[in-house]
């Protein structure tokens, strides 16, 4: 926005009395006392600089950010952009120092080092409402928990867990610097805050004189003007910095956190937050808490699995394995033409596996997980509230919305309107000389302009939203189409596997022969194909989702991430879970019966709908879940750990041949991988998808939380190792919560109750068994004897249609059509010859009613417990509420005392001969300092 300023004014209007009249000296101002030390002609031989030096050549000014670029064929245009951009950065108060390409190890890369002086830091800390300490916390901590010594092996040293004292904090005010606990201005703001401020300036600084809308480091990176922009790590991760002034926090993080041998230790969250910023700190806090809560679910799930193993001798599937029962039951073909008749006892192994996960404990575990997920979410809210206070993030959301407008939004939205919420005025400041000697006095003339904010017209917003929604629907439809293709594959190859494997030598193997069945081969190959399709579609859609989110032009960074989160999760939800939903709720439910089979695309297609085995579809759902879940976790760890390591090894291969002193701190970091703007987004997405697996389908696989726990123990250290050793230091960012993921987790939690109730009712065989047990009475005892025979219906073989009847050579040797006149199939229908032959019996309707009743009862019980638990556990601990009130009270009290003391000093210094400041009448109005949305106007 052009506000009528002269071209030599800076990005921020600040107290210029500490500067000279505007003369610049190589990007820094001559009026600064400490920072002018050794600045002119300060040259230090690079060979004598520390390998880990994070300072300018003068050894005084800290490097807060680094830009790199390479001269190329389009160099003149890019050079003009860089010159204009760097000039504007200097006018904004930043100090620059360039490392020529001849000094770099590859001989091609220029490095531009950036330092932000105190004046700029103080002004932006004021504008960005950064909280800083003003008093040491005087609220005593609670006493240690009883038996706390038991947790000593899991503890880290206190200097790592608490890298700085606990303070009460208040929003920084540049005009009241003596109110805050400032011992040293150079170290008052930590490096994470300094690099956040620099990036805020870089993202809003223009690089074109003709078009002020062309601005921001992001666009310069995209068009190749700069090749990288990053803050520096403070040292090498495997050794402390040689410079005593460096904190060596990276080394501490690697030593105590990122090493895999520390997997059993607690995380140093305060140090993570201090080094990487609150946004990354919140992620690791959530991941650690999620992993901790998983341990309880894993233990209960393991006990349920052990119960299934221990009670196997009592299960009804023994009748299937019994040669006198299952060996005498002839089953109808599972496909047309290529599938022959088979005996029930051939599914003995599959039935045994099914019982391990389909027993009485299944119902208990499904209910337990419904309550567990509520406890997890409620306790996380309390943990998050504590972190919000400890990390000065209380009431942060409003500041985020007001101060974190995306530069892309400001650039693309050319329309302007009055801010409907604040309706604030903008004060444009101009310095006024107060005496003839030319001395500048702290008096300011003000010009009032209405604050006009950029906005996106409603018609444009609607059009973009419709196009975005249509694109998302198209890709979701594409996923569904691919799933239908996989189902068609299953139907097409099942007959082929049945024919090929009929006399396969693998069937004669003693250990695995009974497991290698056409159903197993079809399920495994289809699951693998489905996993490959998932990975391909996921790769493509990630790029599409980013494009359409950019097209929507979200207003703030938070809004951008939330929109992208919803799109990606909708896609991933369908992509990862659709195959499991098919097996759980569709396979075997719409097959018809012999003589009247249902077909996927009609009878002409020949693709007969799949049937479940005699033991049900639960074991196949378990197989599908394990393949997709484990495959995704293994692939994710390979991508996260191995790929960055290989890339870094390849990029830095030439530097390994150079002397150590040549490979500077900024060159080392330049050769590392960039985590990217959405790096953390993919970490959340991976864990939330896993969360869906262990909640939505956990009734079919009680060991899912155990697998997730083992993966997450590794995941915490992989992510820590990756951020500490393989990635450049990310730009610090604030976040008071996990954002839209919180709502998604709540949605999954509610949906999981429904899915698990349906799995127990319609996928598991639990309800039919219970109905049979309590309706079949022999004497005074309930018994399960005869259940298998009761669950199978009869069909007259002679009534098979020609297209359904097996080919003659497909039937087994033992089959004799003159003796065997009927076959059995899984259903409850009247037998042939009955007046209602092949229609459902009353038992079918009793079982269906029991299933629906179970769903209603389970859902109501779990939801009542969930809501009671949520009501019982407050979101914010009482201790945190007390601390927040205490801090707000102290801020008011100390600020009142500070202002009163300041007024007393001012009155005591006033005398009858004091020279009065001659200012325009408008200067009596309180002045509000503000950072403009554009860098220079």
């Amino acid at each position: 926005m052009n506000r009528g300023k002269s071209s030599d004014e800076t990005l921020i209007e600040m107290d210029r009395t500490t500067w000279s009249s505007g003369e610049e000296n190589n990007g820094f101002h001559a009026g600064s006392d400490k920072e002018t030390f050794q600045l002119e002609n300060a040259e230090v031989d690079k060979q004598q600089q520390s390998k880990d030096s994070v300072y300018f050549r003068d050894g005084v000014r800290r490097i807060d950010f680094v830009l790199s670029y390479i001269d190329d064929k389009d160099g003149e245009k890019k050079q003009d952009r860089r010159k204009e951009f760097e000039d504007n950065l200097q006018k904004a108060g930043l100090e620059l120092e360039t490392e020529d390409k001849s000094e770099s190890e590859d001989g091609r890369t220029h490095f531009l080092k950036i330092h932000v002086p105190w004046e700029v830091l103080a002004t932006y800390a004021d504008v960005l409402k950064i909280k800083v300490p003003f008093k040491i916390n005087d609220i005593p901590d609670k006493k240690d928990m009883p038996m706390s010594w038991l947790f000593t092996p899991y503890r880290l040293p206190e200097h790592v867990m608490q890298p700085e004292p606990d303070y009460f904090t208040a929003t920084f005010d540049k005009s009241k610097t003596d109110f805050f606990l400032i011992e040293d201005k150079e170290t008052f703001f930590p490096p994470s805050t300094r690099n956040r401020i620099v990036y805020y300036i870089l993202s809003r600084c223009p690089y074109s004189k003709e078009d002020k809308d062309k601005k921001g480091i992001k666009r310069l990176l995209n068009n190749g003007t700069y090749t990288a922009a990053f803050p520096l790590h403070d040292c090498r991760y495997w050794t402390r910095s040689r410079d005593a002034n460096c904190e060596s926090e990276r080394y501490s993080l690697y030593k105590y956190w990122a090493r895999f041998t520390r997997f059993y230790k607690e995380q140093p969250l305060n140090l993570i937050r201090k080094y990487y910023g609150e946004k990354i700190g919140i992620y690791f806090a959530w991941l650690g808490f999620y992993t901790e809560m998983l341990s309880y679910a894993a233990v209960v799930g393991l006990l349920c699995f052990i119960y299934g193993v221990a009670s196997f001798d009592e299960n009804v599937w023994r009748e299937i394995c019994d040669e006198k029962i299952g060996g005498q039951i002839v089953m109808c073909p599972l496909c047309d033409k290529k599938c022959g008749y088979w005996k029930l006892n051939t599914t003995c192994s599959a039935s045994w596996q099914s019982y391990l996960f389909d027993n009485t404990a299944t119902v208990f575990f499904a209910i337990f997980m419904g309550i567990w997920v509520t406890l997890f979410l409620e306790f996380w809210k309390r943990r998050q509230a504590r972190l919000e206070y400890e990390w000065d993030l209380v009431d942060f959301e409003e500041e985020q919305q007001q101060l974190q407008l995306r530069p892309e939004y400001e650039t693309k939205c050319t329309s302007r309107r009055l801010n409907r919420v604040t309706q604030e005025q903008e004060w444009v400041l101009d310095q006024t000389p107060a005496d003839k000697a030319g001395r500048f006095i702290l008096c300011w003339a003000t010009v009032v302009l209405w604050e006009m904010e950029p906005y996106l017209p409603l018609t444009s917003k609607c059009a973009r939203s419709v196009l975005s929604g249509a694109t998302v629907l198209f890709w979701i439809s594409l996923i569904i189409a691919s799933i239908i293709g996989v189902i068609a594959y299953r139907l097409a190859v099942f007959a082929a596997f049945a024919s090929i494997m009929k006399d396969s030598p693998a069937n004669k193997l003693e250990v695995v022969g009974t497991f290698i069945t056409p159903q197993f081969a079809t399920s495994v190959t289809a699951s693998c194909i489905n996993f490959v399709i998932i990975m391909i579609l996921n790769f493509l859609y990630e790029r599409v989702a980013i494009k359409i989110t950019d097209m929507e032009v979200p207003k703030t960074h938070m809004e951008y991430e939330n929109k992208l989160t919803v799109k990606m999760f909708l896609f991933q939800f369908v992509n990862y879970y659709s195959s499991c939903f098919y097996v759980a709720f569709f396979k075997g439910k719409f097959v018809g019966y012999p003589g009247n089979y249902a077909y996927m695309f009609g009878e002409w297609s020949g693709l007969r709908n799949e049937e479940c085995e005699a033991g049900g579809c639960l074991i196949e759902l378990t197989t599908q879940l394990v393949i997709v879940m484990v495959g995704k976790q293994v692939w994710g760890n390979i991508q996260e750990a191995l790929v960055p390591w290989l890339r870094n090894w390849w990029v830095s291969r030439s530097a390994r041949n150079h002397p150590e002193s040549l490979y500077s701190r900024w060159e080392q970091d330049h050769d590392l991988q960039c985590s990217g703007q959405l790096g953390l987004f993919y970490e959340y997405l991976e864990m939330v998808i896993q969360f869906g697996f262990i909640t939505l389908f956990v009734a079919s696989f009680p060991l899912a939380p155990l697998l997730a726990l083992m993966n997450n123990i590794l995941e915490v250290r992989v992510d820590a190792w990756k951020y500490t050793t393989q990635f450049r230091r990310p730009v610090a960012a604030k976040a008071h919560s996990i954002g839209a993921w919180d709502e998604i987790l709540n949605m999954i939690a509610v949906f999981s109750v429904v899915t698990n109730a349906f799995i127990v009712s319609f996928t598991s065989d639990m309800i039919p068994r219970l109905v049979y047990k309590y309706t079949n009475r022999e004497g005074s005892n309930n018994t399960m004897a005869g259940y298998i025979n009761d669950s199978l219906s009869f069909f007259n073989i002679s009534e098979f249609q020609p297209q359904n009847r097996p080919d003659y050579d497909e039937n087994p040797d033992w089959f004799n059509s003159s003796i065997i006149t009927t076959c059995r199939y899984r259903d409850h229908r009247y037998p042939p010859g009955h007046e209602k032959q092949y229609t459902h019996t009353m038992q079918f309707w009793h079982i269906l009613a029991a299933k629906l009743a179970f769903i209603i009862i389970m859902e109501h019980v779990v939801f009542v417990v969930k809501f009671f638990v949520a009501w019982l556990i407050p979101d914010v601990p009482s201790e945190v509420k007390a601390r927040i009130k205490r801090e707000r009270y102290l801020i008011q009290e100390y600020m009142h005392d500070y202002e009163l003391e300041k007024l007393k000093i001012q009155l005591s210094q006033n005398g009858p001969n004091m020279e009065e400041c001659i200012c325009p009448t408008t200067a009596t109005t309180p002045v509000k300092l503000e950072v403009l949305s554009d860098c220079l106007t």
Side-chain angles (χ1 to χ4, degrees):
M1 293 180 291
N2 189 347
R3 303 186 186 274
K5 287 185 170 184
S6 61
S7 60
D8 60 347
E9 290 183 276
T10 63
L11 167 65
I12 42 182
E13 299 290 349
M14 58 180 67
D15 183 352
R16 301 182 188 177
T17 57
T18 59
W19 290 0
S20 66
S21 60
E23 297 178 357
E24 297 176 355
N25 180 16
N26 193 26
F28 37 83
H29 298 269
S32 179
D33 296 332
K34 183 175 182 178
E35 293 170 352
T36 55
F37 175 69
Q38 291 182 344
L39 296 189
E40 294 185 3
N41 301 321
E43 293 291 339
V44 177
D45 187 358
K46 187 177 180 181
Q47 296 286 347
Q48 300 183 11
Q49 263 190 316
S50 169
K51 179 186 180 77
D52 281 329
S53 175
V54 291
Y55 291 90
F56 278 16
R57 295 191 189 98
D58 54 36
V60 176
R61 292 169 296 164
R62 187 184 186 102
I63 302 172
D64 297 306
F65 224 87
V66 174
L67 307 181
S68 65
Y69 60 91
I70 298 176
D71 294 329
D72 54 23
K73 59 182 180 180
D74 195 23
E76 186 174 349
K77 183 184 295 185
K78 293 178 180 178
Q79 186 175 359
D80 292 340
R81 292 188 198 132
R82 284 193 293 267
K83 184 178 185 306
E84 180 66 20
F85 186 68
E86 292 166 16
D87 287 344
N88 290 337
L89 290 179
Q90 290 179 340
K91 292 176 183 178
L94 300 183
E95 300 175 1
L96 313 179
E97 184 177 82
T98 302
E99 290 285 336
D100 190 75
K101 64 181 180 180
S102 61
E103 297 291 328
S104 63
E105 56 90 14
D106 62 0
R108 301 172 57 243
T109 308
H110 300 266
F111 290 95
L112 178 68
K113 298 174 288 186
I114 300 175
H115 169 75
V116 52
W118 167 256
E119 285 296 330
V120 179
L121 282 173
T123 302
Y124 272 93
D126 193 343
V127 170
L128 296 177
K129 309 299 181 186
I130 293 174
K131 290 188 175 182
V132 295
F134 71 92
K135 183 184 185 301
I136 295 179
N137 193 334
D138 59 358
I139 300 179
D141 291 332
K142 288 186 177 181
K143 295 182 180 180
D144 292 338
M145 295 176 56
M147 308 292 287
S148 61
W149 57 271
L150 292 174
F151 301 96
T152 302
Y154 311 104
R155 304 295 187 194
L156 290 175
E158 186 64 23
H159 73 276
V160 177
M161 290 300 297
Q162 301 291 339
E164 53 190 19
D166 189 12
Y167 295 105
F168 285 120
T169 59
T171 303
F172 184 79
D173 188 338
K174 184 184 174 184
S175 64
K176 300 179 177 66
T177 54
D178 52 337
F179 174 74
F180 303 101
L181 299 179
I182 303 178
E183 296 181 0
D184 184 357
K185 291 183 178 181
E186 294 303 313
T187 59
F188 181 65
F189 293 107
S192 57
T193 301
R194 298 173 69 100
N195 73 57
R196 185 163 76 95
I197 289 175
V198 174
Y199 189 76
Y200 188 85
I201 299 174
L202 291 175
S203 63
R204 284 159 174 77
C205 190
Y207 56 84
S208 173
K209 293 181 179 179
E210 295 77 18
D211 186 357
K212 293 299 181 183
D213 286 337
K214 291 183 177 180
K215 60 184 178 180
I217 187 62
K218 185 176 179 180
R219 295 181 68 174
L220 289 174
L221 291 172
N222 291 337
N223 61 33
T225 303
Y226 291 99
T227 57
F230 53 92
L232 291 179
H233 284 294
D234 59 4
C235 65
R236 289 166 288 173
Y237 64 85
W238 64 87
T239 184
R240 291 187 179 277
S241 174
R242 298 173 184 174
D243 194 327
N245 295 324
C246 286
E247 300 85 352
S248 295
E249 292 173 348
R250 186 190 188 193
Y251 168 75
S252 296
L253 286 171
Y254 176 73
K255 180 179 179 181
Y256 295 104
W257 177 51
R259 296 165 67 182
F260 294 95
T261 54
R262 298 278 177 170
F263 72 92
Y264 62 94
K265 294 286 189 179
E266 60 184 335
Q267 296 188 86
L269 294 178
N270 288 324
L271 185 58
I272 297 169
R273 172 245 182 168
K274 183 183 177 185
Y275 191 75
Y276 290 114
E278 289 79 2
K279 191 172 184 178
I280 291 179
I282 282 285
Y283 164 72
F284 280 104
W286 176 82
L287 179 57
F289 183 79
Y290 171 46
T291 304
E292 180 183 345
M293 290 294 292
L294 268 179
S295 62
Y296 304 109
V299 170
V300 176
L302 182 60
L303 292 176
C304 291
F305 178 76
I306 293 174
Y307 170 82
V309 175
S311 61
F312 173 72
D313 290 338
E314 304 172 5
N315 80 83
V316 299
W317 305 123
R318 288 183 303 167
E319 295 184 350
I320 294 178
C321 301
D322 192 336
E323 186 65 31
K324 296 180 179 179
I325 301 176
Q328 302 301 316
I329 296 177
V330 178
M331 302 295 293
C332 298
L334 294 175
C335 64
D336 296 337
K337 295 290 187 180
K338 296 299 181 182
C339 295
Y341 298 95
W342 53 285
K343 290 185 178 181
L344 184 59
N345 64 347
T346 59
T347 63
C348 176
S349 298
S351 301
W352 177 81
Q353 297 170 52
S354 180
Y355 178 77
L356 295 179
F357 308 108
D358 186 9
N359 50 66
T360 309
T362 301
V363 180
F364 165 77
F365 192 61
I367 296 174
F368 168 81
M369 287 301 295
I371 299 172
W372 173 88
V373 74
T374 303
L375 292 172
F376 163 63
L377 294 174
E378 292 302 318
F379 283 126
W380 166 246
K381 289 178 184 177
R382 291 172 61 84
R383 178 69 172 133
Q384 184 173 267
R386 188 179 298 276
L387 288 175
E388 282 184 22
Y389 168 73
E390 292 176 354
W391 292 356
D392 303 321
L393 299 171
V394 178
D395 301 326
F396 171 68
E397 186 170 3
E398 292 77 9
E399 301 167 13
Q400 174 83 355
Q401 292 292 339
Q402 294 175 13
L403 299 172
Q404 298 298 323
L405 283 180
R406 298 175 64 240
E408 295 84 355
Y409 179 84
E410 296 176 293
T411 300
K412 294 181 180 179
C413 298
T414 55
S415 303
R416 297 288 186 271
R417 68 181 177 189
L418 181 67
N419 190 308
R420 297 179 180 179
V421 178
T422 61
Q423 295 192 3
E424 291 180 346
Q425 298 172 341
E426 177 191 1
W427 301 88
V428 181
L429 310 180
D430 189 20
Q431 207 169 35
T432 304
D435 59 11
K436 296 180 180 180
R439 291 184 290 111
F440 288 92
I441 310 298
L442 288 179
C443 302
W444 304 81
T446 60
V447 180
V448 179
L449 294 177
W450 290 106
E451 170 65 17
M452 304 298 288
E453 66 169 1
Y455 80 101
L456 195 65
L458 181 61
T459 54
S460 177
K461 182 181 295 185
C462 290
R464 293 169 186 268
S465 298
V466 169
L467 182 58
S468 174
T471 306
V472 172
L473 288 177
F474 168 78
W475 277 90
I476 290 178
S477 301
L478 187 62
I479 301 172
I480 296 174
S482 67
I483 296 301
I484 293 175
V486 173
I487 295 172
Y489 163 83
R490 299 168 68 106
L491 302 180
V493 303
F494 178 78
F497 276 127
S499 178
I500 294 171
M501 299 176 65
K502 180 179 60 174
D503 299 318
S504 174
N507 294 337
K508 299 180 175 60
L509 296 177
E510 293 183 2
V511 179
V512 298
T514 55
F515 295 94
I516 303 176
T517 63
Q519 293 93 334
F520 177 79
T522 302
S523 177
V524 171
T525 56
S527 297
C528 294
I529 292 173
N530 182 61
F531 178 72
V532 173
I533 293 175
I534 285 173
M535 292 294 103
I536 294 174
L537 290 177
N538 184 44
F539 175 80
L540 296 174
Y541 183 75
E542 283 179 3
R543 285 143 184 81
V544 174
I546 293 173
K547 291 289 185 183
I548 58 179
T549 305
D550 289 339
M551 179 197 67
E552 292 181 51
V553 197
K555 185 175 183 179
T556 64
H557 293 288
M558 181 182 294
E559 184 180 346
Y560 180 90
E561 290 189 4
N562 289 346
K563 284 178 177 290
L564 182 61
T565 296
V566 172
K567 291 180 181 65
M568 286 297 296
F569 180 74
L570 282 176
F571 177 84
Q572 300 278 25
F573 185 90
V574 180
N575 200 14
Y576 281 107
Y577 302 145
S578 53
S579 58
C580 293
F581 273 103
Y582 164 73
V583 175
F585 305 124
F586 295 97
K587 183 180 178 181
K589 308 300 186 294
F590 309 99
V591 297
Y593 60 92
N596 188 25
Y597 286 119
Y599 291 81
M600 185 175 183
F601 300 113
E603 191 172 344
W604 61 268
S605 66
L607 298 177
R608 201 174 96 188
N609 287 347
E610 286 185 283
E611 297 184 42
C612 292
E613 294 187 11
C617 280
L618 193 73
I619 188 62
E620 187 169 343
L621 175 59
T622 302
T623 303
Q624 181 77 22
L625 186 65
V626 170
I627 289 176
V628 177
M629 182 178 175
V630 175
K632 183 182 185 303
Q633 292 177 347
V634 171
W635 179 252
N637 287 327
I638 291 175
Q639 280 188 312
E640 291 182 25
L642 185 60
V643 173
W645 180 82
L646 289 175
R647 288 177 176 174
N648 289 336
W649 176 84
W650 179 257
V651 170
S652 63
R653 67 193 186 283
S654 59
R656 292 192 294 269
N657 299 322
H658 288 272
E660 183 176 322
S661 58
L662 287 175
Y663 202 32
S664 61
R665 173 80 268 136
W666 47 89
E667 289 172 316
Q668 295 174 56
D669 286 6
H670 180 265
D671 288 344
L672 297 178
Q673 295 299 301
C674 177
S675 60
Q677 180 184 359
L678 301 175
L680 209 57
F681 168 83
Y682 296 115
E683 305 296 344
Y684 275 118
L685 182 61
E686 178 185 4
M687 288 296 101
V688 171
I689 293 298
Q690 181 204 83
F691 180 81
F693 279 124
I694 69 166
T695 54
L696 294 174
F697 308 103
V698 74
S700 67
F701 188 45
L703 294 180
L706 181 61
L707 291 180
L709 175 64
M710 292 188 294
N711 173 80
N712 285 12
I713 291 173
L714 180 64
E715 181 75 21
V716 171
R717 305 303 158 176
V718 167
D719 288 347
W721 175 81
K722 177 178 62 177
Y723 274 102
T724 307
T725 69
Q726 303 302 307
F727 281 0
R728 296 170 187 160
R729 186 174 184 173
V731 178
K734 282 199 170 187
H736 73 296
S737 68
I738 61 175
W741 298 112
D742 193 28
E743 293 300 322
I744 290 175
L745 291 173
N746 279 283
M747 181 197 73
I748 293 175
V750 173
F751 195 40
S752 67
V753 177
V754 179
T755 56
N756 283 301
F758 271 84
I759 287 173
V760 173
S761 293
F762 289 99
T763 309
S764 164
D765 203 46
M766 179 60 61
I767 303 301
R769 293 204 302 266
L770 292 176
V771 171
Y772 181 83
K773 180 177 181 179
Y774 291 105
T775 58
N776 178 54
R777 293 180 178 272
E778 292 185 3
S780 59
N781 297 322
N782 299 110
T783 178
M784 292 300 296
Y787 170 75
I788 296 300
N789 187 64
D790 183 75
S791 65
L792 301 174
S793 298
F794 290 88
F795 181 77
N796 192 335
I797 291 176
S798 62
E799 297 181 25
F800 264 123
Q801 298 294 327
Q803 66 272 19
N804 301 135
R805 187 177 294 116
D807 293 337
Y808 179 77
D809 57 348
E810 297 295 339
N811 288 326
D813 296 335
W814 50 260
F815 180 78
N816 188 339
S817 59
S818 61
I819 299 176
I820 302 174
T821 58
T822 60
C823 64
R824 311 292 293 274
Y825 59 98
R826 184 182 173 85
D827 208 341
H828 294 88
R829 294 179 183 270
Y830 288 109
H834 193 279
E835 61 180 355
K836 297 180 180 179
Q837 67 174 4
Y838 304 138
T839 60
H840 286 123
T841 64
M842 287 302 298
Q843 187 178 8
F844 170 84
W845 299 109
H846 291 161
I847 293 173
L848 180 61
K851 290 179 176 180
L852 297 177
F854 173 82
I855 292 173
I856 294 172
I857 293 172
M858 177 179 169
E859 287 181 357
H860 281 72
V861 169
V862 175
F863 280 133
V864 167
V865 174
K866 281 169 65 71
F867 291 135
F868 176 73
V869 170
W871 170 80
L872 190 65
I873 303 174
D875 292 347
V876 182
S878 57
E879 176 194 359
V880 174
K881 290 181 180 179
R883 286 173 174 264
I884 292 174
K885 291 179 181 179
R886 170 71 173 163
E887 184 170 288
R888 288 174 176 170
Y889 166 76
L890 286 177
I891 291 175
Q892 293 178 354
E893 182 183 35
Y894 275 68
M895 190 63 71
H896 175 269
D897 294 343
Y898 170 83
E899 294 289 354
L900 187 62
E901 186 67 24
K902 189 175 181 180
L903 180 60
K904 289 180 180 179
I905 295 174
Q906 184 177 359
L907 291 174
S908 66
Q909 291 177 348
N910 287 342
N913 299 324
M914 185 188 75
E915 180 181 358
E916 184 178 357
C917 175
I918 304 173
C919 301
T921 56
T922 55
T924 59
T925 309
V927 174
K928 179 180 179 180
L929 301 180
E930 181 178 2
V931 175
L932 305 182
S933 60
D934 29 355
C935 182
L936 295 173
T937 55

